[in-house]
């Protein structure tokens, strides 16, 4: 197997020059860099990452512990993290906590044992002794999406409060009055924050959020289905449901359809965390979209700063509301324009072309557009 000295001899440069090329040092001339890379390819040389990490005390590896790999939001986030890390010369090892604190800690422990250079975590709860120990040991850590209150670690997240306020205004404007929420776990910052934002937005319009209209979920589809079923069993069920994440929204949609009900004619549905699937559901689902790609990339850049021993500020990016048809028509359909071939009837009776036909006027289809709700009642 070829070694670094063989590469240097093949390229006609020093071993130090080869090392600088392999570490992407800017001091190497383009011509020397090209010769070294050609020699590496010709000899099939592969740097020994383990040996290099022992010399530099760096593995060029980051750890990422996400809450649920089956959640499309976290899948997209992980992809953005991996892409930005690769751009900065890092590899990423991903651990899936599956919304379980004990599994989260297992992955954190394993990653730290592998001597990663830094750790990105979306905490599954508000307290993990293992993460707190890592912070006290000065391990470079950045929280992404969720965070642990009171821990002095950079947090990269989105702020959905303005989007939730816009969603509530949209629902009330088109006639919904009984608004419910399927909440995430109160032990997570995003779970409690989204409920608080929803309650506050309702309060700004003088609308209460009864306890019966708060369904407890766990950011997974089955909990969304159970919460929606409980709402539908109420003597006065809500006429709009806001699910605090995408999987719970899909579970709620299954429960609504299982009862033979329609969205939005019988009940409106909206979600936090937009996903590509939502444009393909029937009807397409109104959702609050987070800037997932930007969050993942910003988290990696912040962690790289921490690894380099520099301060990294927290980053908060705004979420936005994407209105689709699952909440009903925002405005009544525009009146149908008369066909130019039709003659307007005379103000004094039948047209000059003859008497009006007997019987009811023929049915004309309405123009296409979102279905309007037909059921309205105040609480």
């Amino acid at each position: 197997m070829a070694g670094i000295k063989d590469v240097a001899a093949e390229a006609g440069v020093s071993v130090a020059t080869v090392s600088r090329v392999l570490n992407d040092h800017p001091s190497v001339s383009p011509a020397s860099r090209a010769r070294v890379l050609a020699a590496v390819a010709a000899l099939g040389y592969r740097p020994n990452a383990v040996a290099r990490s022992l010399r530099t005390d760096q593995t060029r590896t980051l750890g990422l512990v996400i809450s649920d790999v089956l959640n499309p939001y976290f899948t997209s986030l992980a992809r953005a993290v991996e892409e930005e890390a690769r751009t900065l010369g890092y590899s990423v090892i991903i651990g899936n906590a599956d919304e379980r604190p004990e599994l989260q800690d297992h992955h954190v422990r394993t990653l730290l044992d592998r001597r990663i250079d830094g750790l990105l975590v979306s905490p599954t709860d508000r307290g993990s002794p293992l993460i707190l120990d890592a912070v006290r040991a000065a391990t470079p850590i950045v929280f992404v999406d969720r965070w642990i209150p009171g821990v002095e670690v950079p947090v990269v997240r989105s702020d959905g409060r303005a989007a939730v306020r816009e969603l509530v205004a949209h629902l009330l404007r088109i006639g919904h009055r009984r608004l419910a929420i399927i909440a995430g776990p109160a032990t997570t910052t995003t779970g409690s924050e989204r409920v608080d934002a929803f309650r506050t937005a309702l309060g700004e319009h003088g609308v209460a959020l009864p306890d019966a209209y708060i369904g407890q979920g766990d950011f997974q589809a089955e909990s969304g289905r159970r919460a929606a079923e409980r709402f539908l069993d109420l003597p006065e069920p809500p006429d709009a449901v806001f699910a605090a994440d995408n999987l719970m929204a899909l579970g709620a949609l299954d429960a609504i359809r299982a009862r033979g009900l329609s969205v939005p004619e019988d009940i409106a549905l909206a979600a936090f965390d937009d996903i590509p699937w939502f444009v393909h559901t029937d009807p397409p689902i109104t959702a609050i979209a987070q800037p997932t790609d930007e969050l993942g990339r910003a988290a990696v850049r912040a962690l790289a700063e921490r690894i380099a021993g520099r301060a990294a500020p927290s980053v908060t990016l705004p979420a936005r509301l994407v209105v689709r048809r699952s909440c009903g028509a925002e405005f009544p359909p525009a009146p149908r324009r008369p066909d130019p071939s039709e003659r307007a009837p005379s103000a004094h009776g039948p047209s000059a072309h003859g008497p009006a036909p007997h019987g009811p006027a023929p049915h004309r289809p309405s123009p296409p557009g979102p279905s309007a709700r037909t059921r309205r009642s105040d609480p």
Side-chain angles (χ1 to χ4, degrees):
M1 181 179 294
I4 192 170
K5 292 182 179 179
D6 299 315
V7 174
E10 177 75 14
V13 299
S14 68
V15 171
T17 297
V18 174
S19 178
R20 284 194 290 270
V21 170
L22 296 177
N23 287 283
D24 202 26
H25 198 281
S27 66
V28 183
S29 70
S32 295
R33 185 181 302 276
R35 290 201 304 273
V36 169
L37 294 178
V40 167
L43 298 175
Y45 172 71
R46 297 184 63 186
N48 188 327
V50 174
R52 185 167 59 199
S53 72
L54 292 174
R55 292 194 302 271
T56 65
D57 200 32
Q58 285 192 340
T59 61
R60 305 300 295 177
T61 304
L62 307 179
L64 170 63
V65 180
I66 55 176
S67 303
D68 185 2
V69 74
L70 295 180
N71 187 320
Y73 165 76
F74 284 110
T75 305
S76 298
L77 184 71
R79 178 178 179 178
V81 165
E82 195 278 331
E83 288 178 348
E84 186 67 15
R86 188 171 62 248
T87 299
L88 298 181
Y90 290 96
S91 298
V92 180
I93 301 175
I94 300 175
N96 172 37
D98 200 28
E99 298 291 357
R100 293 160 51 194
E102 71 278 7
L103 190 52
Q104 166 194 272
D105 285 357
H106 164 77
H107 289 305
V108 169
R109 183 180 299 105
T110 300
L111 290 168
L112 293 176
D113 287 345
R114 293 192 177 192
R115 301 180 62 250
I116 56 169
D117 294 339
L119 183 63
L120 295 168
V121 185
S122 178
T124 58
D125 60 10
R126 291 176 178 264
S128 163
L130 187 58
I131 292 177
L132 297 180
D133 286 346
V135 171
R136 284 190 286 267
T139 302
I141 294 178
V142 170
F143 292 144
V144 57
D145 184 67
R146 307 175 187 176
W147 63 99
I148 299 177
V151 178
E152 294 299 321
V153 167
V155 180
V156 177
R157 67 183 187 95
S158 71
D159 186 347
R161 288 174 294 183
V164 171
R165 186 180 301 113
E166 188 179 352
L167 171 65
V168 167
H170 169 68
L171 292 170
L172 296 174
R173 183 168 56 245
I174 60 180
H176 301 292
R177 291 296 176 267
R178 298 190 302 276
L179 277 58
I181 183 171
I182 303 175
T187 54
T188 64
T189 49
T190 49
S192 58
E193 185 181 70
R194 292 169 193 175
V195 173
D196 291 342
F198 190 67
R199 180 184 286 108
T200 299
L202 286 171
E204 291 172 356
H205 294 271
V207 179
L209 180 61
D211 290 342
Y213 285 177
I214 303 175
Q216 189 57 59
D218 60 7
F219 287 140
Q220 296 184 335
E222 178 60 22
S223 68
R225 184 187 62 79
R226 291 194 303 267
E229 288 177 341
R230 188 178 67 78
F231 288 153
L232 296 174
D233 287 336
L234 293 173
E236 194 170 43
D239 55 15
V241 173
F242 172 45
D245 94 320
N246 47 53
L247 294 183
M248 294 192 301
L250 293 174
L253 182 61
D254 286 343
I256 292 167
R257 287 176 171 168
R259 297 290 181 98
L261 302 175
S262 297
V263 174
E265 288 80 7
D266 297 307
I267 187 167
L269 180 64
F272 205 104
D273 284 341
D274 195 17
I275 53 176
W277 306 343
F278 281 171
V279 298
H280 301 297
T281 58
D282 184 19
I285 295 177
T286 292
I288 292 173
Q290 299 194 72
T292 313
D293 189 74
E294 293 89 336
L295 290 173
R297 294 181 183 277
V300 173
R301 291 193 294 268
L303 185 57
E305 291 295 301
R306 298 289 295 150
I307 292 170
R310 295 186 289 267
S314 293
V315 177
T316 302
L317 301 175
R320 62 187 179 89
L321 176 64
V322 181
V323 175
R324 301 190 180 101
R325 291 192 290 109
S326 65
C327 295
E330 180 166 5
F331 302 104
R336 185 180 66 87
R337 294 185 177 182
D339 191 297
S341 64
E342 297 176 358
R343 295 277 187 175
S346 166
H348 302 289
S351 73
H353 293 275
H358 295 287
H363 170 73
R364 299 187 185 277
S366 300
S371 301
R373 286 178 51 85
T374 57
R375 179 172 62 86
R376 290 283 189 273
S377 58
D378 293 334

